[in-house]
Amino acid sequence: MAATILIVEDEHAVARGIQYALQQEGYDVGVARSGEEGLEIATREAPDLVVLDVRLPGIDGFEVLRRVRAAGAKMPILVLTARDDEVDKVIGLELGADDYLTKPFGLRELLSRIKALLRRSYGDLADAAGGRVVRHRDLVIDLERRRVQRGARRISLTPTEFEILRHLASRPGRVYTRGELLELLRDYEALDQDEKTINVHVSHLREKIEDDPASPAFVLTVRGVGYAFAER
Ligand code: CA
């Protein structure tokens, strides 16, 4: 699972340059060419990270940033500015930008900022733009070897339990509805089950990985919505 990145930039050449560089690194990259489109994709698809230019036709980057945060989206956002007064605004308004770069910038600098933001937000998963191992406290999930440990203790999960954990832990904080999880598992198992099945699998999963399944520290219930893996 490569990290997904959305670039919101109307200047074609700039957007393409960034997109190409990120794709070379293995990221899954989308481009939006206006503020409206960027806002729509950022809130609907919840990419792992957004690169947001301030100067856009229609609603500008500041407004996109404000509205994305107002919609409750928490992914890291790196803002591209062109002038010092824009930098002042990014910092001064506290709109929820995680980092900024002033144009012109080098792609290498942008890449290193992006990697740092992904690492800060998602932990080791983001290290190789696709991540192999997720760590949260002493819980270690090796996605390739399909191995789960608490400290040195190996935990044996059923394939379904592992898949649920894998999806949740790949994007800490992202809330998955039961329907969504069921849909994701359909590829994996011939499930003609209803959403309550998910509750059963989650409860078994918790018994195996949580210290206190009644008060989970990893797989959290989001009441009335579904489940989410704990953010750091
Ligand atoms: Ca622009």
Side-chain angles (χ1 to χ4, degrees):
M1 299 189 43
T4 54
I5 298 177
L6 171 67
I7 302 164
V8 188
E9 165 66 285
D10 59 310
E11 286 162 81
H12 191 65
V14 176
R16 279 304 296 274
I18 299 172
Q19 182 180 29
Y20 182 76
L22 291 174
Q23 283 171 339
Q24 291 298 104
E25 294 288 312
Y27 297 106
D28 186 353
V29 189
V31 176
R33 305 209 178 280
S34 70
E36 285 83 355
E37 194 190 353
L39 178 63
E40 212 263 315
I41 297 175
T43 49
R44 190 191 56 204
E45 294 180 11
D48 296 315
L49 181 142
V50 177
V51 177
L52 176 64
D53 189 41
V54 164
R55 296 187 181 189
L56 297 166
I59 57 174
D60 69 11
F62 294 121
E63 189 58 21
V64 174
L65 183 56
R66 199 185 63 72
R67 292 197 202 172
V68 167
R69 291 304 188 223
K74 295 193 175 98
M75 79 285 279
I77 298 179
L78 189 154
V79 173
L80 303 179
T81 59
R83 297 191 321 239
D84 287 347
D85 57 332
E86 292 174 352
V87 173
D88 293 345
K89 211 169 163 188
V90 171
I91 299 168
L93 290 183
E94 294 176 354
L95 292 166
D98 297 273
D99 199 359
Y100 67 90
L101 262 183
T102 305
K103 289 178 173 180
F105 53 83
L107 284 174
R108 194 173 291 181
E109 174 66 14
L110 177 67
L111 275 176
S112 86
R113 299 285 190 97
I114 285 174
K115 282 181 184 171
L117 279 177
L118 287 172
R119 202 159 42 236
R120 210 164 78 200
S121 306
Y122 306 107
D124 298 322
L125 171 72
D127 277 358
R132 302 288 174 259
V133 177
V134 181
R135 287 193 180 83
H136 187 80
R137 299 198 213 164
D138 65 340
L139 179 70
V140 182
I141 308 162
D142 187 327
L143 299 171
E144 278 201 335
R145 296 188 185 81
R146 305 180 71 83
R147 213 184 264 176
V148 179
Q149 288 178 232
R150 282 288 308 270
R153 180 170 63 91
R154 276 282 286 279
I155 296 170
S156 167
L157 300 181
T158 65
T160 305
E161 289 159 6
F162 182 83
E163 282 304 300
I164 291 173
L165 181 62
R166 183 171 75 83
H167 283 295
L168 294 175
S170 292
R171 302 178 77 173
R174 153 81 151 87
V175 183
Y176 286 82
T177 65
R178 291 172 181 83
E180 236 177 320
L181 286 171
L182 196 60
E183 203 54 45
L184 289 166
L185 290 171
R186 265 189 228 286
D187 302 335
Y188 198 80
E189 268 192 0
L191 290 178
D192 54 347
Q193 302 166 335
D194 64 25
E195 296 182 6
K196 291 196 192 91
T197 315
I198 297 293
N199 300 355
V200 175
H201 288 302
V202 167
S203 119
H204 290 159
L205 174 61
R206 280 177 174 157
E207 277 161 27
K208 293 176 180 179
I209 64 169
E210 303 283 357
D211 290 328
D212 178 6
S215 155
F218 302 112
V219 175
L220 313 178
T221 299
V222 181
R223 195 170 281 185
V225 188
Y227 298 105
F229 194 80
E231 289 180 279
R232 339 192 120 206

